[in-house]
Amino acid sequence: MTIVAESGPVSAPPRPAARALCPLPTAVDPMALALNENPFPPLPAVRTAMIESVQAANRYPEFLPETLRHLIADHLGVPDEQIVVGAGATGVLVQVMHAFTSPGDRVVLPVPTFEGYPIASAMTRLDVVKVPLLADGHHDLDAMAEAASGARLVVVCRPHNPTGTVESLGALEGFLSRLPSDTIVILDEAYVEFVAPQWRIDALALLERFPNVLVLRTFSKAYGLAGLRIGYAIGSWPLTAELWSMQLPFGIANIGLVAVDASYRAENQLRQRIRMITAERRNLRTRLRAMGVASIDGHANFVYLPGGDRPWHEVFDGADGVRVKHCADGGVRITVGGRSSTGAVLAALRRAER
Ligand SMILES: Cc1ncc(COP(=O)(O)O)c(C=O)c1O
């Protein structure tokens, strides 16, 4: 194709040579510790439901995902109208940016953070104000509140990615009450199911007090359905109405709907898996501590080793080694897997010490 621009014809880039099909990921891979995925493959009942749904793949899903929204709302005990769904929490956060911001608006992000935020901010041409985390891995809520003056959007993650820290309810309330009521706050709870009861907060009650907050959640982490791309936001009606009006027609596949339904019915088994993951997180931290390796006390399905003197690239980047996430601040984030993943992480550290 040739496009004629004012300065003359512009040719489209040449077609790349045909590529081999990208191989499918392996369900159980003790070395895959970079993306905070769930180490368990789908539960048998969830897998059966998904396989059954494939029989009708010639049919479109619902025009708008009303049934999925109802399932989630019913599970949480909120009106359907307070839920919007999307292609993972990532899809929802892009929807939020498209719905409520214009190019050039300011968004306040903690750094480092989940990299979907800077990517989506660039896609929607937002002006990013970066606020570094405190040394203990927490958000610098004072600095974020100051930076938020004149900002359209602010993002807080609880637990935070990559550090796993959780802000207290008091700190969060203090922060929210300092923000203008027309500044939208994404409270990202992608890892909320891993948080122990004593650290949980009632995010739904928070929405009543602060209608400018949107709580973001996902089926990718504790529910182990990252490959299906289902996330959602909970919010007050004016905000969710705006988001729902932009919901992509036929945008959520049937397989996602049946997987969520089957997962909710299998909550006890899922809870058991969550307990296994958090127990393994404690085990990994204890073993690291015994080796003199400091980590942050996180509340999700990963462990964060801050940057410092240790060259983490040299420790973990062996050809046959574990795949972890290196962060821009020099730290490294390690997803919690099973006992064999922990063994591989510790072996890499021991190898590097020799
Ligand atoms: C804090 C946080 N939010 C959102 C997401 C996006 O999750 P998904 O798009 O798979 O639902 C992630 C994924 O790693 C995350 O860490």
Side-chain angles (χ1 to χ4, degrees):
M1 177 174 59
T2 302
I3 299 165
V4 180
E6 274 174 23
S7 53
V10 181
S11 294
R15 267 177 85 96
R19 268 189 290 152
L21 266 186
C22 155
L24 284 172
T26 319
V28 178
D29 178 356
M31 300 300 197
L33 306 181
L35 295 174
N36 297 343
E37 294 155 325
N38 195 306
F40 298 104
L43 287 166
V46 177
R47 197 166 39 197
T48 303
M50 291 197 288
I51 291 168
E52 273 172 22
S53 81
V54 168
Q55 313 284 355
N58 55 317
R59 301 291 172 197
Y60 281 104
E62 251 182 325
F63 182 69
L64 292 178
E66 313 231 11
T67 309
L68 179 57
R69 160 163 102 150
H70 176 70
L71 271 180
I72 296 169
D74 200 41
H75 189 77
L76 299 174
V78 299
D80 292 8
E81 293 72 23
Q82 283 194 253
I83 303 291
V84 284
V85 295
T90 306
V92 181
L93 72 90
V94 172
Q95 281 168 233
V96 170
M97 288 181 179
H98 277 306
F100 300 115
T101 67
S102 307
D105 279 352
R106 279 163 66 182
V107 55
V108 178
L109 299 181
V111 279
T113 189
F114 166 52
E115 58 193 10
Y117 286 108
I119 292 171
S121 304
M123 280 167 63
T124 48
R125 291 189 243 145
L126 298 181
D127 182 8
V128 178
V129 183
K130 300 177 184 175
V131 179
L133 297 179
L134 298 170
D136 60 4
H138 283 262
H139 293 73
D140 187 344
L141 292 177
D142 279 335
M144 287 183 73
E146 272 167 38
S149 131
R152 186 74 187 108
L153 191 62
V154 179
V155 178
V156 174
C157 304
R158 189 182 193 279
H160 188 56
N161 173 0
T163 51
T165 48
V166 290
E167 306 311 335
S168 72
L169 178 60
L172 208 51
E173 287 174 328
F175 170 70
L176 292 172
S177 42
R178 286 176 66 184
L179 302 186
S181 59
D182 59 350
T183 301
I184 291 167
V185 182
I186 292 182
L187 177 59
D188 183 322
E189 291 196 328
Y191 302 94
V192 68
E193 295 87 358
F194 296 107
V195 177
Q198 65 272 28
W199 295 100
R200 296 257 170 109
I201 60 170
D202 186 350
L204 302 183
L206 212 58
L207 293 180
E208 280 172 28
R209 284 190 53 206
F210 300 99
N212 53 330
V213 173
L214 284 163
V215 176
L216 226 62
R217 294 198 185 152
T218 180
F219 288 91
S220 297
K221 307 299 179 183
Y223 286 87
L225 298 174
L228 297 190
R229 313 306 302 127
I230 317 156
Y232 62 96
I234 322 162
S236 54
W237 166 237
L239 294 188
T240 49
E242 185 67 27
L243 289 167
W244 185 255
S245 74
M246 298 172 71
Q247 193 81 55
L248 186 68
F250 302 121
I252 302 282
N254 283 322
I255 194 165
L257 171 66
V258 299
V260 168
D261 185 35
S263 299
Y264 280 159
R265 289 172 200 271
E267 280 274 299
N268 284 344
Q269 285 166 283
L270 280 168
R271 250 183 247 127
Q272 170 68 10
R273 288 181 164 189
I274 291 168
R275 278 195 292 274
M276 289 166 80
I277 292 168
T278 50
E280 194 53 40
R281 182 187 70 209
R282 283 191 292 275
N283 176 49
L284 174 58
R285 284 201 76 218
T286 307
R287 307 281 300 274
L288 287 169
R289 199 177 309 124
M291 292 179 75
V293 177
S295 61
I296 287 184
D297 186 15
H299 297 257
N301 64 337
F302 50 84
V303 169
Y304 186 70
L305 314 184
D309 306 333
R310 218 56 197 267
W312 295 126
H313 273 286
E314 285 170 25
V315 175
F316 293 112
D317 284 1
D320 58 347
V322 286
R323 302 190 295 285
V324 296
K325 168 78 182 167
H326 293 282
C327 301
D329 64 345
V332 71
R333 189 195 69 201
I334 305 170
T335 304
V336 174
R339 211 31 71 90
S340 56
S341 300
T342 298
V345 170
L346 299 173
L349 284 158
R350 273 190 228 105
R351 245 192 331 264
E353 269 172 13
R354 272 193 236 121

